Amino acid sequence: MRENICFYFMQTHVLFIFSLVLLCFNTTAATSLGHKLVVAAGGATNTCINNEREALLRIKARLLHPNDPLSTWRREEEDDCCKWRGVTCDNQTGHVTMLDLMCSYYTGVGGEVSFSLLNLTYLNHLDLSDCSFHGTIPPFIGSMTQLTFLNLASNHFVGTIPMSIGSLKNLTTIDLSENNFSGIIPRSIGSLTKLTSLSLSNNSLHGTIPREFGNLTNLLTLDLRYLDSCTIENLDWLSSLSSLSKLDMDGTSLAKVNNWVNVIIGLQNLYWLTLGRCDLSKVMHPYSSVVNSSSSIGVLYLDNNNLNSSSYRWLCPLVGKKLTSFDVSGNSFDGNLSDFLNNLSRCTSLQQQQQQQQTQSRRGGGCTSLQQQQQHTRSRRVGGCTSLNRLFTLDASGNQLTGSLSDEIKNFSSLDTLNLAYNHLNGTISDKLWQLPTLHRLNLSSNSLRGVISENIGKSNLFKVDLSHNSLEGALFNADLSELSMSVQYIDFSSNKLGPCFPKWIQKMKKLRHLDLSNNSISETFPTENWNQWLPSQLRYLDLSLNNISGTLPESLSNPKLEFVDLSSNSFYGPIPTFPAQISFLDLSDNSLTGKLPDSLKNLTYLKVLNLGHNMLSGYIPPCVGCFGQLEKLSLYSNSFSGELPLFLKNCTKLSLLNLGANKLYGNIPVWIGKDLSRLYALSLKSNNFSGAIPSQICQLASLQILDLSFNNLQGTIPSCVHNLTSMVQKGLFTEHNLHRYNNRLDIQARYYSVDYSYDHLLIQWQGKVNEFGRNLRLMKTIDLSTNSLTGPIPYEITNLQGLVVLNLSHNALLGEIPKNIGQMQQLQTLDLSKNNFSGGLPSSMSQLNFLNYLDVSDNNLSGRIPSGTQLQTFELSRFIGNARLCGPPLTKYCPGDKELEVTPVVGESKSNGETIDELKRWFYIGGAAGFVTAFWIVFGTLLLNRRARHAFFECQDSLKDWVYVKVAVFMAKWRRVACA
């Protein structure tokens, strides 16, 4: 009876569940059927289905979208989800077929990928790229077998790529790039045989590329760039991908892959190939034999592979007649530029000849005419100067090419972009360059090119030209450049010899957006009335720094387009004019500007960098400075500003560098610096009249790496909380967020160029002298509290700052002993404790300061023996004087017990404390070696300069050799005796 009852209830539950499933199925089917009936009746609809609409709302609920890019996704029933942003429905059935969250850096979409995606049963296109999703890929995505397109690129996914991606058999496109995936690449991806595009780039994957990728015979695009630790043992699998047209493997080592050139050439449809940073120079046999086919490659990137001129033997098979873009930048190609250009032309010539021979061989038995053989011979003799008439872009920057930019450049008649920057070119520029009909972008910067810039530059069609950092002269200032003025938008002629006159032709360039004539020895006084004509109306970037231009700054600098202005290191005088509201970089330092800061500065709400240092400005710092909500650097160094540190500066919460040194500011250092300016990494208030104690809130600046409060009237003790300056605790360079650069994108003829400019500059006391640090400022971690009235001991916590490079506490009233653990500050290069009241001995741990190259402990009350070590005995005596009871080398004062050692000829170790005092031996070695070197050069210098002595030397060289051998033997014998003693 009990069994029958159980069976009855079980049967009832099964029927009940089955009924629910059937009901759900019927509901969905009925809904779909309803849409189909409407369509059949002639009323096509794209109104979304209710359960899919609810699924979309649940997906939105699990997302973070602070900028509300999904504002069209509303719950009102009358809203049609097929019209929502990023949602696409089937016009016939109304089912959601495509979902693109359309994320970007600005939308900030993130959160959690919702399980409700499974309710979109007809979804075949899913794009979640450029969002901020974290964690692992949700396992349920492997169940969405109807997907044909899956893009999860540019997120923060971690963990391994799940094997269940192999179950998505209908996928034609999968993009998992720009994430943090680890582990190996699943072999199951090789089963997705419908794939036409696969991207796994920029992840932390390791292991080898699976050979199963050879099964993906429909692939058109394969992106395996920067897979961290992935390697390729062989490329046999690649030979199967006959349809492949684009292959990216930047940063993936091919060092173990022989004959890779043969495999690549075998891919007859391959057009795009990037193999940058692939260790190509380490491949033993990249190319085994001649292949009876020509390269189809149009875009070829082989940058940063340490390739040299011996690479032409395998490079030529890749350089075919279809080549349009060729990049071998960052390699080691050397020799004359003409040879390099001729070799490229020869590569194309050889391929064309091989193709002709193959065609004729198929047609008539492989024989070539006498005329063709003669033509081939002439081609070989003259260097094979067959024009690369399809080459659009050539980038050979960052190599070791020498010579002139010669007439061979005419063979590259289709060039649009030519980049030969950062080579060793040391000749002139051929006029043929300016005659290239389609050349629009030219970069020859950072070479040693010389001569006069030809007037024929005015006949070119350049949009962008960079000739900076050469030795070019400027005779073209009065030339007719009317044709050039119609096209050019970007000019960088910085660091040349174009002075002393102004280039008057600039005023004709109505479309000019970027102009850099810095460091050109321009010394003309420019009248104010000429500025209006001289400044192009479209100009956004202006750099005339490091010249000697004089005159007043005109009101025309209020040009509404200007975003970057650098007029530093000139001789401008007078007041500061009005600048446009959208300007973001303004540097007027190192001039002779006078007056007060104008009220118009309050309108510069986009300003990131303001540098007015080294002028003759005066008065109070006006409240308008605090209005700069975007301000990252403020430098008013070396002026005559007075008053207390203004309170409104606390509003500049993005400040990373604040330099108000060498002014007449006074009062206490405010506590809000530590509380509100949390991004500060450099703070300089030196050479003012600040008084009071150093506020402990300074210790809250965790990013602070440069602190300079020297030459003030500060009192009290050094805060013991200094160990909270965590950036000084860490060893090494500045972290990336402390590398401050101005970056601006410039659109020139539908191409974007980034203007990258380092704006960190600071004067720092370094090894007893004041030095200006610019780009190398990132190397510095320094505390300078010198020349104040500080009292008390050095807090022992300061020894935790193990990344500190400079510590200067000189010229104070500090007392007590030097911390015993100071030796653990092993990055110290400068240590100045002079002119204080320190007592006790120098800690023995100081001998561990192996990088120390400047030490000064003079004028204290120190006593005892100077510790022996590799550094301390090498400093001058003056660095230790003024300590009456200090003794031992390098001082001439003996320590107690050393008198007996003075009489004894053998200098060994001190028996009292076990420290080595072998200075005599060391100086004997140095003196002996120096004497031997001096004698050597006296003898051989005489032989080099005196012909008669040289003849005498060769006549008696055997006797001289014997004499030298004897002298060397005697010297070495004496050295060994002293060393053994």
Side-chain angles (χ1 to χ4, degrees):
M1 183 67 178
R2 182 179 299 173
E3 288 80 6
N4 291 336
I5 295 175
C6 290
F7 176 79
Y8 173 80
F9 277 105
M10 183 181 298
Q11 187 179 38
T12 304
H13 279 76
V14 170
L15 289 174
F16 177 76
I17 294 172
F18 179 78
S19 300
L20 286 178
V21 172
L22 186 62
L23 179 62
C24 292
F25 174 80
N26 289 336
T27 302
T28 305
T31 306
S32 179
L33 179 61
H35 280 78
K36 291 180 179 179
L37 289 174
V38 173
V39 172
T45 180
N46 61 351
T47 303
C48 71
I49 299 172
N50 285 334
N51 66 327
E52 294 183 359
R53 181 176 177 278
E54 289 300 318
L56 290 171
L57 290 173
R58 288 194 296 271
I59 290 171
K60 177 182 178 180
R62 306 301 292 267
L63 296 176
L64 301 174
H65 41 94
N67 297 317
D68 204 15
L70 305 180
S71 58
T72 59
W73 293 29
R74 295 187 293 264
R75 182 166 291 279
E76 288 78 3
E77 291 185 2
E78 62 274 12
D79 276 350
D80 183 358
C81 71
C82 292
K83 297 179 181 179
W84 290 354
R85 185 176 184 267
V87 178
T88 302
C89 298
D90 186 286
N91 285 333
Q92 303 299 318
T93 66
H95 286 296
V96 175
T97 57
M98 298 177 62
L99 177 60
D100 184 352
L101 292 184
M102 305 180 72
C103 302
S104 69
Y105 171 80
Y106 303 100
T107 59
V109 174
E112 182 182 344
V113 181
S114 174
F115 189 81
S116 297
L117 279 172
L118 288 179
N119 294 99
L120 305 177
T121 54
Y122 289 84
L123 191 69
N124 57 52
H125 182 112
L126 178 60
D127 192 339
L128 305 180
S129 61
D130 294 299
C131 296
S132 299
F133 293 116
H134 293 74
T136 58
I137 292 182
F140 64 79
I141 286 184
S143 302
M144 302 175 70
T145 55
Q146 74 281 5
L147 284 179
T148 60
F149 181 99
L150 176 62
N151 190 348
L152 304 179
S154 301
N155 279 284
H156 304 287
F157 288 118
V158 296
T160 59
I161 299 175
M163 299 293 289
S164 60
I165 286 182
S167 63
L168 305 180
K169 303 296 184 181
N170 291 315
L171 278 179
T172 60
T173 298
I174 181 170
D175 191 343
L176 303 179
S177 62
E178 305 280 349
N179 280 285
N180 298 310
F181 292 120
S182 57
I184 62 174
I185 300 174
R187 297 177 182 271
S188 58
I189 293 180
S191 65
L192 305 178
T193 55
K194 292 184 180 181
L195 279 180
T196 59
S197 178
L198 170 62
S199 179
L200 303 175
S201 64
N202 289 279
N203 280 289
S204 299
L205 302 169
H206 62 265
T208 59
I209 306 298
R211 296 183 179 182
E212 286 78 3
F213 277 14
N215 299 328
L216 306 177
T217 55
N218 290 308
L219 268 185
L220 301 177
T221 300
L222 177 59
D223 189 350
L224 302 176
R225 291 172 297 155
Y226 301 110
L227 296 184
D228 198 19
S229 301
C230 276
T231 59
I232 297 179
E233 300 293 336
N234 64 69
L235 282 176
D236 293 343
W237 55 269
L238 189 60
S239 303
S240 303
L241 308 185
S242 58
S243 300
L244 199 63
S245 63
K246 183 175 182 180
L247 175 61
D248 288 353
M249 290 199 295
D250 281 352
T252 303
S253 178
L254 296 179
K256 299 180 180 180
V257 183
N258 288 330
N259 301 334
W260 67 267
V261 175
N262 299 68
V263 176
I264 293 297
I265 294 176
L267 301 174
Q268 293 298 301
N269 293 305
L270 188 64
Y271 180 80
W272 185 297
L273 176 64
T274 62
L275 297 176
R277 292 181 171 86
C278 288
D279 298 326
L280 298 184
S281 64
K282 299 179 181 179
V283 183
M284 296 298 294
H285 305 288
Y287 184 54
S288 63
S289 61
V290 176
V291 178
N292 292 326
S293 62
S294 61
S295 173
S296 62
I297 296 175
V299 178
L300 179 59
Y301 292 90
L302 302 174
D303 55 286
N304 297 286
N305 275 293
N306 198 30
L307 303 177
N308 55 39
S309 299
S310 65
S311 304
Y312 288 117
R313 61 185 177 84
W314 58 260
L315 185 59
C316 278
L318 297 172
V319 180
K321 64 178 182 179
K322 296 183 180 179
L323 193 66
T324 61
S325 184
F326 186 47
D327 187 345
V328 286
S329 61
N331 282 292
S332 300
F333 286 100
D334 56 5
N336 197 282
L337 175 62
S338 297
D339 295 335
F340 174 79
L341 297 177
N342 280 333
N343 280 323
L344 290 185
S345 295
R346 184 182 298 113
C347 288
T348 305
S349 175
L350 291 175
Q351 280 216 5
Q352 290 174 342
Q353 291 163 11
Q354 288 176 6
Q355 189 174 15
Q356 290 173 0
Q357 291 172 1
Q358 292 165 14
T359 302
Q360 291 167 357
S361 176
R362 290 193 297 267
R363 291 176 178 174
C367 297
T368 58
S369 68
L370 177 61
Q371 182 181 0
Q372 290 170 338
Q373 292 177 5
Q374 291 173 346
Q375 182 181 359
H376 174 63
T377 303
R378 285 197 301 270
S379 177
R380 292 174 57 188
R381 287 176 181 172
V382 300
C385 295
T386 302
S387 174
L388 278 171
N389 53 14
R390 289 193 177 205
L391 195 62
F392 189 78
T393 300
L394 174 59
D395 190 344
S397 60
N399 281 280
Q400 301 169 21
L401 299 172
T402 60
S404 302
L405 208 166
S406 59
D407 290 350
E408 280 80 7
I409 196 64
K410 69 182 179 182
N411 297 317
F412 298 79
S413 56
S414 296
L415 274 181
D416 170 88
T417 301
L418 175 62
N419 189 350
L420 298 174
Y422 297 97
N423 275 283
H424 302 304
L425 302 179
N426 52 7
T428 58
I429 301 175
S430 168
D431 268 0
K432 301 294 184 183
L433 178 67
W434 316 120
Q435 298 173 17
L436 295 178
T438 61
L439 186 65
H440 293 144
R441 297 164 181 87
L442 174 65
N443 190 348
L444 303 178
S445 66
S446 302
N447 283 284
S448 299
L449 292 167
R450 51 184 171 78
V452 176
I453 301 176
S454 170
E455 294 183 6
N456 289 326
I457 190 176
K459 300 178 181 179
S460 68
N461 295 309
L462 288 167
F463 300 148
K464 178 181 185 290
V465 54
D466 188 345
L467 304 179
S468 62
H469 297 276
N470 282 285
S471 298
L472 298 168
E473 300 176 11
L476 53 80
F477 287 102
N478 296 314
D480 182 11
L481 300 180
S482 56
E483 294 184 36
L484 180 63
S485 66
M486 298 301 293
S487 58
V488 70
Q489 299 180 32
Y490 182 111
I491 289 180
D492 188 347
F493 289 168
S494 61
S495 299
N496 277 285
K497 301 177 180 179
L498 302 184
C501 298
F502 257 98
K504 302 298 189 294
W505 43 266
I506 294 292
Q507 63 187 9
K508 297 181 180 181
M509 298 184 174
K510 305 303 182 183
K511 295 183 179 180
L512 194 62
R513 298 185 181 185
H514 179 110
L515 177 63
D516 191 341
L517 297 177
S518 61
N519 193 24
N520 263 294
S521 303
I522 300 174
S523 57
E524 185 177 6
T525 300
F526 203 65
T528 304
E529 58 271 17
N530 290 348
W531 278 89
N532 290 333
Q533 297 178 347
W534 185 79
L535 282 177
S537 60
Q538 299 297 313
L539 199 64
R540 291 173 52 186
Y541 183 105
L542 175 64
D543 190 346
L544 302 177
S545 63
L546 297 167
N547 285 291
N548 192 26
I549 307 169
S550 59
T552 58
L553 297 177
E555 289 298 325
S556 59
L557 284 172
S558 60
N559 178 352
K561 298 286 187 178
L562 277 175
E563 297 178 9
F564 180 106
V565 175
D566 190 348
L567 303 178
S568 62
S569 300
N570 280 285
S571 299
F572 292 113
Y573 53 83
I576 297 175
T578 301
F579 286 91
Q582 76 280 358
I583 195 169
S584 58
F585 187 106
L586 179 59
D587 192 342
L588 304 177
S589 62
D590 290 279
N591 282 284
S592 299
L593 301 174
T594 56
K596 299 180 179 180
L597 293 181
D599 291 337
S600 61
L601 290 178
K602 66 183 179 182
N603 299 321
L604 309 184
T605 54
Y606 295 97
L607 199 61
K608 291 184 178 181
V609 175
L610 177 61
N611 190 350
L612 303 176
H614 291 279
N615 280 285
M616 295 183 286
L617 301 168
S618 59
Y620 295 101
I621 301 176
C624 61
V625 176
C627 301
F628 303 156
Q630 304 300 317
L631 199 63
E632 296 177 4
K633 173 185 176 178
L634 174 61
S635 179
L636 305 178
Y637 183 82
S638 188
N639 282 281
S640 296
F641 292 112
S642 58
E644 296 186 351
L645 206 59
L647 180 62
F648 48 77
L649 281 179
K650 67 184 298 185
N651 298 325
C652 302
T653 55
K654 293 186 178 181
L655 268 178
S656 61
L657 189 152
L658 177 60
N659 185 1
L660 303 178
N663 280 285
K664 299 177 181 178
L665 302 172
Y666 54 80
N668 294 337
I669 297 177
V671 298
W672 50 259
I673 286 185
K675 290 183 176 180
D676 298 304
L677 306 185
S678 59
R679 297 189 182 185
L680 276 181
Y681 86 95
L683 173 63
S684 177
L685 302 177
K686 67 180 298 182
S687 301
N688 279 285
N689 297 312
F690 289 110
S691 58
I694 300 175
S696 60
Q697 287 78 6
I698 289 287
C699 300
Q700 298 178 20
L701 299 175
S703 298
L704 195 67
Q705 297 188 168
I706 298 175
L707 175 62
D708 192 345
L709 305 179
S710 61
F711 291 91
N712 279 286
N713 298 314
L714 298 174
Q715 303 167 353
T717 60
I718 300 173
S720 60
C721 59
V722 289
H723 62 284
N724 292 326
L725 300 173
T726 53
S727 289
M728 297 188 187
V729 174
Q730 300 168 356
K731 297 180 181 179
L733 307 180
F734 280 166
T735 53
E736 285 299 320
H737 68 274
N738 277 337
L739 297 178
H740 298 91
R741 309 183 71 85
Y742 171 86
N743 191 278
N744 186 31
R745 295 185 75 196
L746 192 63
D747 180 11
I748 297 178
Q749 294 295 315
R751 288 193 184 182
Y752 287 96
Y753 296 90
S754 290
V755 179
D756 202 10
Y757 189 98
S758 175
Y759 61 74
D760 289 344
H761 295 273
L762 209 61
L763 292 174
I764 293 178
Q765 185 85 7
W766 172 256
Q767 298 185 6
K769 298 179 181 179
V770 176
N771 290 274
E772 182 173 5
F773 288 79
R775 295 190 175 191
N776 52 359
L777 185 63
R778 66 190 183 92
L779 302 174
M780 296 303 297
K781 295 184 179 182
T782 175
I783 292 178
D784 191 345
L785 306 179
S786 63
T787 316
N788 280 285
S789 300
L790 299 174
T791 58
I794 299 177
Y796 71 90
E797 290 88 352
I798 206 169
T799 62
N800 291 325
L801 305 182
Q802 297 184 28
L804 202 63
V805 176
V806 175
L807 178 60
N808 190 347
L809 304 178
S810 64
H811 293 82
N812 277 287
L814 299 170
L815 47 79
E817 296 187 351
I818 299 173
K820 288 183 169 47
N821 292 334
I822 197 170
Q824 71 184 19
M825 303 173 71
Q826 295 186 3
Q827 302 299 310
L828 273 181
Q829 297 184 34
T830 294
L831 176 61
D832 194 343
L833 304 178
S834 63
K835 294 180 174 56
N836 279 285
N837 298 314
F838 293 120
S839 58
L842 292 177
S844 59
S845 67
M846 289 183 70
S847 62
Q848 302 171 18
L849 300 176
N850 296 323
F851 293 115
L852 196 66
N853 51 36
Y854 183 91
L855 172 68
D856 195 343
V857 293
S858 62
D859 297 305
N860 280 285
N861 297 316
L862 298 171
S863 59
R865 184 186 302 279
I866 297 175
S868 298
T870 56
Q871 301 290 325
L872 300 184
Q873 277 68 43
T874 64
F875 295 113
E876 300 174 359
L877 300 181
S878 60
R879 308 288 177 81
F880 298 93
I881 63 174
N883 294 282
R885 293 181 292 172
L886 203 62
C887 61
L891 294 175
T892 56
K893 180 179 180 180
Y894 295 100
C895 293
D898 285 353
K899 286 295 182 179
E900 294 77 5
L901 295 178
E902 179 189 14
V903 179
T904 306
V906 178
V907 181
E909 296 182 352
S910 170
K911 295 182 180 179
S912 59
N913 58 11
E915 294 180 337
T916 304
I917 55 172
D918 290 339
E919 286 302 300
L920 182 59
K921 283 197 288 186
R922 191 170 67 86
W923 287 109
F924 177 83
Y925 301 153
I926 296 173
F932 182 81
V933 172
T934 302
F936 176 87
W937 281 109
I938 289 175
V939 173
F940 283 90
T942 303
L943 296 178
L944 290 172
L945 299 175
N946 190 317
R947 185 173 59 183
R948 183 177 300 176
R950 190 161 60 247
H951 283 297
F953 165 74
F954 286 109
E955 290 174 0
C956 61
Q957 56 180 325
D958 292 335
S959 301
L960 184 60
K961 278 194 288 188
D962 293 339
W963 178 83
V964 171
Y965 292 154
V966 170
K967 291 300 182 183
V968 171
V970 171
F971 176 78
M972 294 303 298
K974 291 182 179 178
W975 198 338
R976 281 196 298 270
R977 282 200 300 272
V978 175
C980 293

